[in-house]
C-alpha cells in the first residue's frame, strides 16, 4: 500500500486527497477464511498515518491492529511498516481504513473474505460480488475541517456530498458523469458487499423496485431476511443479495443520512447510483426508492433488531452463558470549559464525549508498547466497571453538573478467558444520539437491546442466547442500550470507541487490556522489528 496524495475533481472543484495507490476508494483486497496477509504500508504522504483492519480479530497480534497511540505509533512520512493481517473465523465482508485523525475519510477500502477452499457460501453462489462503499466528500481539505472544529470546540462542518463507490451521483451539481453504474442481467442474483465509510452518520439505503435479502454482517452470516431498506452504521458491513427480477430498465439505488437529534445540522442530501439491466430497450428516467425519513429512529432500530446468527452445524453459536465479568458503560456527549471567552459548543463551552464520564486522552506513546515493556506513567488501569454516578441516564432534564467529564487515559484490565457482558448504555445528555460502538480484536454476540435505561432485573429475561448476531460494530439506539457478550480469549490491547468520528475525536473511547493466559498459545506474540517509533 502506497499512501500518497492524488488529484480528484468532484462537485465542480478539484483538490488533492490522501489515497492508497492513488485510488479513492482504495483497492479491494481479497482473501480466504483463515489466510494471513502481509501488507507493506509505505507512507508517501505528508502526514502521519495508520491502517486498521476493521473487524479482523488479529489473534494474539495487536501490533498490526492500527489505532494510533493505542497499538502503535503512527507511520511517519517517508517510512513504512509491514503489517500482518491474521484472519481466523471471519468470513464475509470487512474493510480497512486509516485510524489516525480523520484520514479515513479518503483512506479506506473493502476486504472481502471468501469461504476457505473446499467450502461454499450458505446461499447459492451469486453471479457476481460487487463492493458498495458509502462515503462522503468535502470540497475543503479534510484536515482543515478537523483543525477548525477542534479549535472552535463546536461541531465539524458537514460534508458537501455523500458517495457510492466514490461517486456522488447525478442529484449533485456537476455530477451527471460522476455516477456509479452497475450492469445486471435479468434472472441473476448479485451479492452486494456494503460498507459504511461515512464519518459521522448512520445511513439508510434502498434500491427502487427491488427487495433486498440480508445474508451477513461484519464477516458473519445471518439468517436471511428480506427488506426494502437497510440501515448501516459507520464501521459496519452488510452483505445483501439483489435479485435482478424487474423489467429491463434503469433503477436508482440511493442512500441518505439518518439523524436522530433534532436541531443538529446534518448533510440532508441523497447520493445515487444506477442499476442498469443489460438488453436493447429505451430506459425511462429512474425514480428514487422509498427511504425512511431521516429522523425515523424506529426504522433504524427495527432493521438492526432483525439480525440473527445462522446457528447451524457449519456455523455454530458459542454465546458465553456463565458471565464472570459484568460491565455497564455509559456513552455521553458532554462539554468542557472553554479556555477562550467563548467556544462553539453547547453553553459556549467546548464539546466533549465520554464513556463512564471519562473523556479518553490519547497518550504520547502507544498503550500496547507501554504495556508490553512495562513503561509506567503512560496510562492508568482503573477504568470503572460502572458509571461513577448512577442517574436516570435517559431522563428528560439532567443536572448540568453531569456535563463535565474527567479527561484521563485509563484502561480496563480483563483476565484471560473471562466471560464478559457489557451493557452499552446511551444517555440523553445534550439530547442523546445513536452511537455505533466498535470493539477491536473481537466480535461479540448482541444478546439484547432496547430503549430507555437498561433494567438489570427485567431485560436479561428477554435476551436472545440461542442465535444472537455476531458483530464487531453495534448501533446503540438513541437514549437506549445494547447488551453484548464475548469471551476474553484474545490477549492484547484493544480499543473500543464510537465510530462517529467527531465523537471519538471528543473522547468517546476506552481501552481494554486482556491479560495473557497460562498456555503457550495463550500469550501475546512479540512485536515485529519495524514497529513505527513515536
Amino acid at each position: 500500500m502506497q499512501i500518497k496524495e492524488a488529484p480528484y475533481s468532484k462537485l465542480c472543484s478539484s483538490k488533492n486527497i490522501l489515497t492508497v495507490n492513488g485510488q479513492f476508494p482504495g483497492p479491494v483486497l481479497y482473501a480466504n477464511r483463515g489466510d494471513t496477509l502481509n501488507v507493506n504500508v509505505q507512507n508517501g504522504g505528508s502526514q502521519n498515518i495508520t491502517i486498521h483492519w476493521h473487524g479482523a480479530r488479529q489473534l494474539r497480534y495487536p501490533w498490526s491492529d492500527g489505532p494510533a497511540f493505542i497499538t502503535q505509533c503512527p507511520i511517519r512520512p517517508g517510512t513504512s511498516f509491514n503489517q500482518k493481517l491474521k484472519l481466523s473465523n471471519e468470513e464475509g465482508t470487512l474493510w480497512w481504513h486509516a485510524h489516525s485523525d480523520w484520514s479515513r475519510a479518503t483512506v479506506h477500502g473493502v476486504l472481502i473474505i471468501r469461504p476457505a477452499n473446499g467450502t461454499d457460501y450458505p446461499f447459492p453462489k451469486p453471479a457476481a460480488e460487487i463492493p458498495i462503499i458509502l462515503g462522503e466528500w468535502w470540497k475543503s481539505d479534510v484536515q482543515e475541517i478537523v483543525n477548525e472544529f477542534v479549535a472552535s470546540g463546536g461541531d465539524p462542518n458537514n460534508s458537501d456530498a455523500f458517495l457510492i463507490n466514490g461517486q456522488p451521483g447525478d442529484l449533485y451539481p456537476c455530477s451527471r458523469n460522476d455516477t456509479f453504474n452497475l450492469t445486471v442481467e435479468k434472472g441473476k442474483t448479485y451479492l452486494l458487499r456494503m460498507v459504511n465509510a461515512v464519518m459521522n452518520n448512520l445511513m439508510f439505503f434502498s434500491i427502487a423496485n427491488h427487495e433486498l435479502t440480508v445474508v451477513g454482517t461484519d464477516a458473519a452470516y445471518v439468517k436471511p431476511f428480506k427488506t426494502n431498506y437497510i440501515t448501516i452504521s459507520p464501521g459496519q458491513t452488510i452483505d445483501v443479495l439483489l435479485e435482478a427480477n424487474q423489467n429491463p430498465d434503469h433503477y436508482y439505488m440511493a442512500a441518505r443520512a439518518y439523524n436522530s437529534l433534532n436541531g443538529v445540522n446534518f448533510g440532508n442530501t441523497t447520493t445515487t447510483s444506477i442499476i442498469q439491466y443489460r438488453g436493447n430497450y429505451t430506459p425511462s428516467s429512474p425514480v428514487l426508492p422509498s427511504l425512511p425519513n431521516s429522523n425515523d429512529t424506529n426504522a433504524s432500530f427495527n432493521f438492526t433488531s432483525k439480525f440473527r446468527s445462522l446457528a447451524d452445524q457449519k456455523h455454530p453459536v458459542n454465546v458465553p452463558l456463565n458471565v464472570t465479568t459484568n460491565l455497564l458503560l455509559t456513552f455521553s456527549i458532554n462539554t468542557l470549559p472553554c479556555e477562550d471567552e467563548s467556544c462553539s459548543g453547547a453553553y459556549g463551552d467546548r464539546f466533549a464525549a465520554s464513556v463512564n464520564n471519562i473523556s479518553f486522552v490519547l497518550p504520547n506513546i502507544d498503550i500496547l508498547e507501554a504495556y508490553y515493556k512495562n513503561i509506567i506513567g503512560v496510562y492508568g488501569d482503573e477504568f470503572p466497571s460502572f458509571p461513577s454516578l448512577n442517574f436516570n441516564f435517559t431522563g428528560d432534564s439532567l443536572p448540568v453538573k453531569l456535563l463535565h467529564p474527567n479527561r484521563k487515559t485509563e484502561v480496563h484490565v480483563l483476565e484471560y478467558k473471562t466471560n464478559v457482558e457489557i451493557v452499552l448504555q446511551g444517555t440523553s445528555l445534550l439530547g442523546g444520539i445513536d452511537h455505533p460502538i466498535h470493539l477491536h480484536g473481537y466480535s461479540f454476540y448482541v444478546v439484547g437491546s432496547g430503549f430507555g435505561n437498561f433494567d438489570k432485573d427485567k431485560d436479561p429475561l428477554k435476551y436472545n442466547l440461542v442465535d444472537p448476531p455476531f458483530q464487531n460494530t453495534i448501533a446503540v439506539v438513541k437514549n437506549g442500550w445494547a447488551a453484548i457478550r464475548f469471551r476474553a480469549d484474545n490477549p492484547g490491547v484493544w480499543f473500543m470507541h464510537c465510530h462517529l468520528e467527531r465523537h471519538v475525536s471528543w473522547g468517546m473511547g476506552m481501552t481494554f487490556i486482556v491479560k495473557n493466559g497460562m498456555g503457550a498459545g495463550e500469550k501475546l506474540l512479540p512485536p515485529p522489528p519495524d514497529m513505527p517509533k513515536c
Side-chain angles (χ1 to χ4, degrees):
M1 284 186 168
Q2 177 73 37
I3 308 292
K4 63 179 183 179
E5 299 272 341
Y8 273 79
S9 297
K10 295 186 192 303
L11 309 179
C12 319
S13 63
S14 300
K15 66 173 184 174
N16 282 345
I17 62 171
L18 204 60
T19 68
V20 168
N21 300 348
Q23 300 176 38
F24 174 67
V28 180
L29 300 183
Y30 294 89
N32 288 86
R33 179 180 176 133
D35 283 353
T36 296
L37 285 70
N38 290 289
V39 182
N40 180 250
V41 181
Q42 301 173 356
N43 189 359
S46 58
Q47 61 194 65
N48 292 340
I49 199 79
T50 67
I51 299 294
H52 168 53
W53 312 98
H54 186 113
R57 297 181 186 71
Q58 298 282 33
L59 295 178
R60 303 166 53 214
Y61 200 76
W63 306 103
S64 288
D65 189 48
F69 300 106
I70 306 294
T71 61
Q72 71 167 86
C73 298
I75 307 166
R76 296 176 181 176
T79 67
S80 63
F81 179 34
N82 287 289
Q83 291 188 252
K84 182 160 63 175
L85 171 58
K86 293 167 65 75
L87 300 173
S88 51
N89 61 348
E90 304 93 335
E91 186 175 321
T93 307
L94 293 179
W95 66 304
W96 55 266
H97 61 81
H99 212 302
S100 47
D101 290 328
W102 280 36
S103 43
R104 80 167 176 88
T106 56
V107 178
H108 60 251
V110 180
L111 170 60
I112 293 175
I113 307 167
R114 290 173 169 152
N117 291 331
T119 62
D120 298 315
Y121 298 113
F123 44 82
K125 187 175 181 180
E129 304 174 27
I130 299 95
I132 301 290
I133 305 181
L134 305 182
E136 57 189 321
W137 185 263
W138 281 264
K139 288 185 179 181
S140 305
D141 179 80
V142 173
Q143 193 55 49
E144 290 179 7
I145 299 289
V146 176
N147 294 342
E148 181 182 330
F149 110 90
V150 169
S152 73
D155 253 330
N157 289 339
N158 292 319
S159 60
D160 296 291
F162 293 113
L163 311 173
I164 296 177
N165 286 354
Q167 304 289 14
D170 55 14
L171 301 185
Y172 292 97
C174 305
S175 300
R176 182 163 296 280
N177 296 324
D178 292 336
T179 302
F180 172 71
N181 292 314
L182 172 59
T183 301
V184 299
E185 194 167 325
K186 185 169 183 177
K188 292 188 175 179
T189 299
Y190 299 84
L191 175 59
L192 307 184
R193 296 185 175 275
M194 298 199 60
V195 174
N196 184 354
V198 169
M199 301 295 278
N200 289 302
N201 293 100
L202 285 76
M203 301 293 288
F204 289 128
F205 172 88
S206 183
I207 300 179
N209 291 31
H210 290 75
E211 201 171 38
L212 300 170
T213 303
V214 178
V215 294
T217 183
D218 289 355
Y221 297 116
V222 300
K223 287 183 171 69
F225 66 91
K226 293 186 179 298
T227 183
N228 292 318
Y229 71 94
I230 73 168
T231 312
I232 185 167
S233 300
Q236 186 180 19
T237 69
I238 297 180
D239 291 338
V240 298
L241 295 177
L242 165 67
E243 293 181 59
N245 56 10
Q246 297 299 300
N247 292 328
D249 208 337
H250 287 187
Y251 299 89
Y252 270 139
M253 51 179 161
R256 72 176 175 210
Y258 156 59
N259 176 65
S260 60
L261 186 55
N262 291 332
V264 168
N265 185 28
F266 72 104
N268 191 16
T269 59
T270 302
T271 177
T272 58
S273 59
I274 292 176
I275 304 263
Q276 53 185 44
Y277 279 71
R278 188 171 280 117
N280 294 319
Y281 59 89
T282 301
S284 55
S285 296
V287 295
L288 286 171
S290 177
L291 287 162
N293 291 330
S294 59
N295 63 350
D296 194 339
T297 295
N298 286 330
S300 175
F301 181 76
N302 291 342
F303 173 82
T304 302
S305 301
K306 290 179 181 178
F307 289 90
R308 300 284 184 273
S309 286
L310 270 185
D312 60 20
Q313 190 172 0
K314 292 183 179 179
H315 308 89
V317 164
N318 297 300
V319 187
L321 300 178
N322 178 29
V323 173
T324 51
T325 298
N326 283 279
L327 305 177
L328 173 64
L329 305 183
T330 54
F331 295 83
S332 304
I333 305 299
N334 309 94
T335 62
L336 289 167
C338 182
E339 57 271 24
D340 300 320
E341 286 189 10
S342 180
C343 289
S344 300
Y347 310 114
D349 282 346
R350 172 177 295 280
F351 276 126
S354 65
V355 184
N356 278 2
N357 206 44
I358 294 178
S359 188
F360 187 77
V361 179
L362 287 173
N364 293 321
I365 69 167
D366 62 283
I367 293 173
L368 177 58
E369 181 182 2
Y371 169 62
Y372 189 77
K373 295 181 178 178
N374 292 312
I375 303 172
I376 61 172
V378 176
Y379 63 88
D381 59 3
E382 296 183 353
F383 189 92
S385 300
F386 300 92
S388 54
L389 284 174
N390 195 10
F391 58 96
N392 179 6
F393 302 122
T394 56
D396 288 335
S397 55
L398 298 176
V400 174
K401 69 177 182 179
L402 297 175
L403 282 177
H404 298 308
N406 297 311
R407 298 187 75 242
K408 294 182 179 180
T409 308
E410 295 286 338
V411 306
H412 190 92
V413 179
L414 294 171
E415 296 292 330
Y416 184 75
K417 279 193 175 177
T418 50
N419 290 334
V420 182
E421 176 176 310
I422 307 177
V423 174
L424 311 168
Q425 175 71 62
T427 79
S428 57
L429 285 171
L430 294 182
I433 195 171
D434 302 70
H435 298 294
I437 304 301
H438 171 51
L439 175 60
H440 291 228
Y442 289 87
S443 284
F444 45 74
Y445 291 102
V446 183
V447 296
S449 59
F451 290 93
N453 297 333
F454 175 77
D455 187 317
K456 65 181 177 59
D457 297 316
K458 295 180 181 178
D459 287 325
L461 301 176
K462 297 177 285 186
Y463 279 178
N464 174 12
L465 302 177
V466 177
D467 59 356
F470 195 51
Q471 299 176 239
N472 64 59
T473 305
I474 179 62
V476 179
V477 70
K478 175 185 177 179
N479 297 340
W481 59 272
I484 65 173
R485 288 186 181 183
F486 63 94
R487 195 177 198 201
D489 56 3
N490 189 11
V493 173
W494 306 109
F495 197 30
M496 186 169 77
H497 61 95
C498 182
H499 225 277
L500 300 182
E501 209 62 34
R502 69 186 192 278
H503 289 182
V504 74
S505 296
W506 290 337
M508 190 177 283
M510 55 87 65
T511 300
F512 288 105
I513 290 180
V514 179
K515 292 166 73 172
N516 285 335
M518 299 299 291
E522 299 176 346
K523 291 179 167 50
L524 183 61
L525 292 166
D530 63 338
M531 283 299 297
K533 302 287 191 289
C534 282

